[in-house]
Amino acid sequence: ATFSVTVQEEAKEVRDAQDVATKKSNDIIAYLKKEGIDEKDVQTTDYSVYPQYDYINSICREGYCPPGEQVLRAFQVSQTLTVKVRDTQKAGELLSGVGSRGVSSVSGLNFTIDDQDALEAEARDKAIAKAKAKAEVLAKSLGVSIVRVVGFSEDGYYPPMPYAYGRGGDVMTTVESKVAPEIPVGQNKITSNVTVTYEVR
């Protein structure tokens, strides 16, 4: 699970706003480390300083209204941290924890797969095994023997089939779990669709 935490502070001087924002960010990072989040899973993804202006309208006299002017009010310092939570059951607790530490916003809660390549390979292996099993059944029904694989494609491209073929697909999913407060994890799916072409005789 990943989410973003933003701290925004305003002050007349940039340094003053930076000091307050830095203290809050450090408190959040210390809390996350205390809760078992690895330092490599907390990343600063945005840091910015912007002047903040007020628009002051001038007083109209004798039917003439001079243009207003912008007056510098303060400087705003904004820092955004992106947090990765590998134990999804702790996501709700951590959202509540950082939210109580003076943050300006918490956003972007997403559930992702950490090692997608390994799961894609596993799904592909299952799809190939299904394709092979279907080809063997078809070959037996036709009274022919499978000689060798002469073609292979994955994910949507299906070439002409001059011989018997088998086609299979399977899905790998994460385990569904729930976290408090009422944040269902749901499922992430990885699907592999393959076409295997066999030479028969």
Side-chain angles (χ1 to χ4, degrees):
T2 60
F3 62 87
S4 296
V5 182
T6 300
V7 173
Q8 288 182 341
E9 292 298 330
E10 284 189 10
K12 291 289 186 181
E13 302 294 334
V14 173
R15 175 59 63 85
D16 293 337
Q18 287 177 322
D19 288 345
V20 178
T22 299
K23 182 181 184 307
K24 286 186 177 182
S25 296
N26 289 345
D27 287 345
I28 291 168
I29 293 170
Y31 163 74
L32 292 170
K33 287 182 178 180
K34 180 182 176 183
E35 293 299 316
I37 303 300
D38 198 305
E39 186 174 351
K40 68 181 180 181
D41 290 331
V42 181
Q43 181 182 30
T44 297
T45 50
D46 179 73
Y47 190 93
S48 56
V49 179
Y50 293 106
Q52 302 296 306
Y53 295 94
D54 289 329
Y55 189 81
I56 307 300
N57 290 317
S58 300
I59 299 175
C60 298
R61 290 189 176 90
E62 299 178 0
Y64 171 69
C65 296
E69 61 177 338
Q70 284 187 329
V71 177
L72 179 65
R73 181 182 73 245
F75 289 93
Q76 182 185 82
V77 172
S78 175
Q79 182 174 2
T80 299
L81 304 173
T82 298
V83 183
K84 179 183 287 187
V85 185
R86 298 181 186 274
D87 181 359
T88 56
Q89 293 185 357
K90 296 185 67 174
E93 176 186 343
L94 293 175
L95 286 173
S96 297
V98 297
S100 65
R101 283 169 166 75
V103 302
S104 300
S105 67
V106 179
S107 61
L109 180 63
N110 296 300
F111 294 96
T112 62
I113 297 171
D114 197 36
D115 189 359
Q116 183 159 326
D117 289 343
L119 294 181
E120 286 177 352
E122 186 174 349
R124 185 185 308 113
D125 289 344
K126 288 188 174 185
I128 291 171
K130 280 192 173 183
K132 182 179 179 181
K134 289 183 179 182
E136 289 173 348
V137 170
L138 182 57
K140 184 177 180 180
S141 298
L142 295 172
V144 296
S145 299
I146 294 176
V147 178
R148 62 194 174 100
V149 174
V150 294
F152 173 82
S153 67
E154 184 181 13
D155 290 334
Y157 173 63
Y158 306 112
M161 297 167 290
Y163 305 107
Y165 78 104
R167 178 169 177 255
D170 207 348
V171 177
M172 280 300 300
T173 63
T174 59
V175 177
E176 183 173 352
S177 60
K178 292 185 177 180
V179 293
E182 296 182 5
I183 300 176
V185 176
Q187 293 182 333
N188 287 322
K189 294 182 179 181
I190 293 180
T191 303
S192 178
N193 295 307
V194 302
T195 295
V196 185
T197 304
Y198 294 90
E199 180 182 347
V200 298
R201 66 181 176 188

